[in-house]
Amino acid sequence: MRGTIAIPEAAHLFPDTEREELDRRIRALVEARTRWETTPIKVRAAMAEQAMLDTLEVADKWVRVACDAKGIAADGPYAGEEWQSGPALLIRNLRLLSRTLHSIEEKGHPPVGKVSTRPDGTVVVDVFPTDNYDRALFAGVKGQVWMRSGVTEKTLFDHVASAYRNGTPAALCVVLGAGNISSIPAMDAIYEMYAENSVVILKMNPVNAYLGPIFEKALKVFVDAGFLSIVQGGADTGEFLVFHDGVERVHITGSDKAHNTIVFGPGPEGRARREANQPRLHKPISAELGNVTPVIVVPGPWSDGDIAFQGENLASGLTHNAGFNCIANRVIINHEAWERRSDLIASVRSFLDRIPTRPAYYPGAAERRQAYVDHYGDAVHEHGEASADALPWTLITGVDASNPSEMCFETECFTSLFSETSIEASSVPEYVAKAVDLCNEAIWGTLGVTILVHPKSMKDPAVEAAVEKAITDLRYGTVAVNVWAAVTYAMVTTPWGAYPGHTLQEIGSGRGVVHNALLFDSSLKSVAYAPFRQFPKPVWFGTNRTATKTLRVLTHLEADPSPGKLMKAAAHAARG
């Protein structure tokens, strides 16, 4: 089975919105389309700025309810995850969208950075850091957008912000919200509004339905104006909304299984329709779905300190949000002959022992993990203290890289588990090329991939050429060098989504992008670069002691940047 394992629906702790009320809201949104379409750019920018301030007002409550639901202490270090992946990112998204709109109004295009062209003709746009605050907080971290074939430096702005350039008619879009990362539903709705010119009905996922009232307040300016409506319900409600005559577009963040059920139908009949490529849905649908996220480890002269830093980096990319991330590290790829391979895996396991386990709040997590444990037997290593509701961190070692049908390659587990595999090769460049082939041909998904490479390795022209070719050849929406691929989600200026080319029938990691605050229309991939080792300790690292304090200040800094907030955040970060 390629793709994700089916995830059962969570209990409905909030009442489903009644069908009559859904009808009423859809009718109201249909009537609001023209008003949104004709809302001036300056007014849209002002609305984003107001929503930013309203989000800051509810940020503390947002984090508290999310921590309560996920079983972590609101004043503990792991609450930092909820600040960062919740209000901080929504505020950043709104601020940067406002900045983009002001630039379109004044200059006719978004405020992009340096534009260059690679030898193969690919246009590259620098999009991160966006300002001196980004430069100070994320020293050495860079983000780029690589454009699709046919885009040139002269025609770049013909492929940006089409809704504002061409006057795209407004449509009504239903957004089926994700249940894991708390900023996703709101950010998806905002993207549909600002990039696709849609009015939106956002259906909350039963897993995080508790965020519905928070979003009503954070996005009050859009709700009150009649451009956004937030409703509750499960799959039945989603089905009703998607096929309602008033709805013209659909966006889903979730699993490929959920997408296929929507497009082709459930059960054997749905499978038959998919095999025959006979969709039952005849509306545009965009999707951000799962990924078996690989990490290519390039052998090199790694010191003990390097091994320790990257061991924590790899472990943290699994343990963040208890492993319930579509971009969680899932397959560590090593060169079989690298003399430090066992040291790196020992370091990963050591940090897994140090990072506390958490309640497995996502439905079916224990059963999904157990399926891998039963399949791989003695290759399974469990770490951390397990309990009735908390699962152990789980690493499967020695997965056979020559077998493309390995469960760890074909299926996203969406739980507290990842694996390690190794590739035979006579040289590092040969290994890198084989690792790229494994990622592109065997490992499921195209959302994101990470490459870890020591700077001294890049001084070898053959290794440098192999790594540069890998960045080009990897068919992923994000390629991240020396940093967890999730970083481009947090940049917001980088488009977030699968590599282009998936079809409705073979949806993979999805179609289309979100976030994308600079409103690129024809992006190929996002590429991120970071120093091999970073100081201060990244706020997403599982042992960061001051993450919550740092990220609470960063949330306020995103809303209203100032040198004082920057210094306060830096002081907290230095003690992490």
Side-chain angles (χ1 to χ4, degrees):
M1 177 183 65
R2 291 181 66 81
T4 56
I5 298 176
I7 297 174
E9 187 166 292
H12 293 211
L13 301 180
F14 278 65
D16 292 5
T17 307
E18 296 290 340
R19 296 295 169 88
E20 294 79 4
E21 178 63 11
L22 294 175
D23 270 324
R24 187 192 69 77
R25 296 195 187 198
I26 288 172
R27 288 196 302 271
L29 285 164
V30 168
E31 292 175 2
R33 289 176 305 179
T34 302
R35 286 194 295 109
W36 178 243
E37 183 180 323
T38 57
T39 298
I41 287 180
K42 285 184 178 179
V43 176
R44 290 190 181 199
M47 293 178 80
E49 291 158 11
Q50 183 60 54
M52 183 178 67
L53 298 177
D54 290 340
T55 299
L56 188 63
E57 284 292 315
V58 298
D60 281 289
K61 185 174 182 180
W62 179 339
V63 171
R64 284 199 307 274
V65 298
C67 287
D68 287 346
K70 295 180 179 182
I72 56 179
D75 58 351
Y78 305 112
E81 291 181 4
E82 298 307 318
W83 280 101
Q84 181 179 37
S85 58
L89 283 184
L90 178 56
I91 289 169
R92 177 177 177 84
N93 194 3
L94 291 162
R95 178 171 62 82
L96 293 178
L97 276 172
S98 174
R99 173 176 171 263
T100 290
L101 295 186
H102 284 303
S103 181
I104 290 173
E105 179 80 357
E106 295 166 9
K107 302 177 183 178
H109 59 77
V112 302
K114 177 185 174 184
V115 180
S116 58
T117 303
R118 292 171 52 81
D120 64 0
T122 301
V123 170
V124 175
V125 187
D126 291 351
V127 298
F128 186 92
T130 64
D131 55 28
N132 288 331
Y133 292 100
D134 282 348
R135 291 183 185 89
L137 290 165
F138 305 100
V141 179
K142 297 190 301 180
Q144 298 176 335
V145 177
W146 291 20
M147 303 299 289
R148 297 193 199 190
S149 176
V151 179
T152 67
E153 291 187 42
K154 288 185 178 180
T155 65
L156 172 64
F157 292 126
D158 294 335
H159 299 273
V160 179
S162 62
Y164 301 91
R165 192 178 65 254
N166 300 329
T168 305
L172 170 53
C173 177
V174 58
V175 172
L176 303 176
N180 57 337
I181 295 296
S182 67
S183 60
I184 293 177
M187 288 172 68
D188 285 356
I190 291 297
Y191 185 75
E192 286 296 327
M193 295 177 69
Y194 278 80
E196 303 293 347
N197 212 24
S198 296
V199 293
V200 171
I201 186 163
L202 167 62
K203 186 195 78 65
M204 299 302 299
N205 190 303
V207 176
N208 59 6
Y210 54 84
L211 290 172
I214 300 291
F215 292 160
E216 292 271 2
K217 295 178 179 178
L219 303 177
K220 184 175 184 295
V221 64
F222 304 111
V223 173
D224 288 352
F227 301 140
L228 171 67
S229 184
I230 301 170
V231 301
Q232 299 284 1
D236 288 347
T237 300
E239 176 97 355
F240 177 81
L241 291 171
V242 165
F243 289 96
H244 195 287
D245 289 344
V247 169
E248 298 155 290
R249 290 176 43 81
V250 180
H251 176 79
I252 177 175
T253 293
S255 72
D256 63 316
K257 300 295 183 292
H259 170 276
N260 290 339
T261 296
I262 291 167
V263 174
F264 296 101
E269 181 181 346
R271 288 193 293 273
R273 292 183 68 92
R274 179 168 171 252
E275 289 172 5
N277 197 20
Q278 295 177 340
R280 62 173 184 155
L281 180 70
H282 300 287
K283 301 175 183 180
I285 178 170
S286 55
E288 192 269 283
L289 308 173
N291 194 55
V292 178
T293 308
V295 181
I296 300 172
V297 179
V298 180
W302 293 28
S303 67
D304 289 346
D306 297 332
I307 291 289
F309 181 89
Q310 295 299 347
E312 184 168 11
N313 185 18
L314 290 167
S316 298
L318 169 73
T319 60
H320 184 278
N321 199 35
F324 301 122
N325 286 335
C326 57
I327 199 65
N329 291 336
R330 296 297 181 197
V331 181
I332 302 168
I333 304 171
N334 272 312
H335 188 321
E336 190 171 86
W338 185 37
E339 66 273 10
R340 303 229 64 177
R341 173 190 171 196
S342 60
D343 295 333
L344 179 61
I345 297 307
S347 176
V348 172
R349 295 183 62 188
S350 173
F351 281 105
L352 292 177
D353 282 330
R354 291 173 55 187
I355 299 173
T357 56
R358 336 222 177 135
Y361 68 89
Y362 223 86
E367 292 78 11
R368 291 193 297 277
R369 194 192 77 90
Q370 193 61 45
Y372 288 79
V373 171
D374 293 343
H375 183 79
Y376 284 100
D378 292 342
V380 175
H381 307 275
E382 297 182 340
H383 296 271
E385 191 172 324
S387 65
D389 60 351
L391 299 175
W393 308 124
T394 306
L395 173 65
I396 299 169
T397 56
V399 175
D400 184 3
S402 68
N403 178 14
S405 298
E406 285 283 357
M407 187 177 183
C408 284
F409 298 161
E410 286 198 324
T411 309
E412 184 193 17
C413 52
F414 210 66
T415 188
S416 57
L417 178 146
F418 60 168
S419 66
E420 184 265 353
T421 189
S422 61
I423 295 174
E424 292 184 12
S426 60
S427 67
V428 172
E430 180 188 352
Y431 156 75
V432 172
K434 286 185 173 182
V436 171
D437 287 343
L438 179 67
C439 292
N440 283 343
E441 306 301 333
I443 296 177
W444 182 82
T446 65
L447 185 60
V449 58
T450 291
I451 303 172
L452 300 180
V453 57
H454 197 286
K456 290 182 179 178
S457 296
M458 294 294 279
K459 294 181 179 179
D460 180 333
V463 174
E464 181 186 29
V467 171
E468 290 297 331
K469 189 173 188 301
I471 296 169
T472 300
D473 291 349
L474 282 162
R475 297 193 294 269
Y476 286 81
T478 284
V479 179
V481 180
N482 290 335
V483 67
W484 183 24
V487 74
T488 65
Y489 177 99
M491 286 178 178
V492 179
T493 47
T494 40
W496 180 255
Y499 191 78
H502 294 298
T503 65
L504 282 180
Q505 189 178 23
E506 298 295 337
I507 193 61
S509 291
R511 300 200 305 174
V513 299
V514 289
H515 309 168
N516 186 23
L518 294 169
L519 304 179
F520 292 97
D521 298 325
S522 301
S523 61
L524 178 70
K525 64 172 71 173
S526 300
V527 180
Y529 298 90
F532 187 64
R533 286 169 64 177
Q534 298 176 54
F535 179 84
K537 179 182 288 190
V539 287
W540 61 85
F541 271 31
T543 61
N544 190 308
R545 297 168 297 180
T546 61
T548 298
K549 292 179 179 179
T550 303
L551 287 161
R552 190 178 189 281
V553 174
L554 285 178
T555 302
H556 286 259
L557 185 147
E558 287 288 359
D560 183 22
S562 71
K565 294 188 186 78
L566 174 64
M567 292 176 63
K568 189 175 181 180
H572 288 313
R575 296 193 295 272

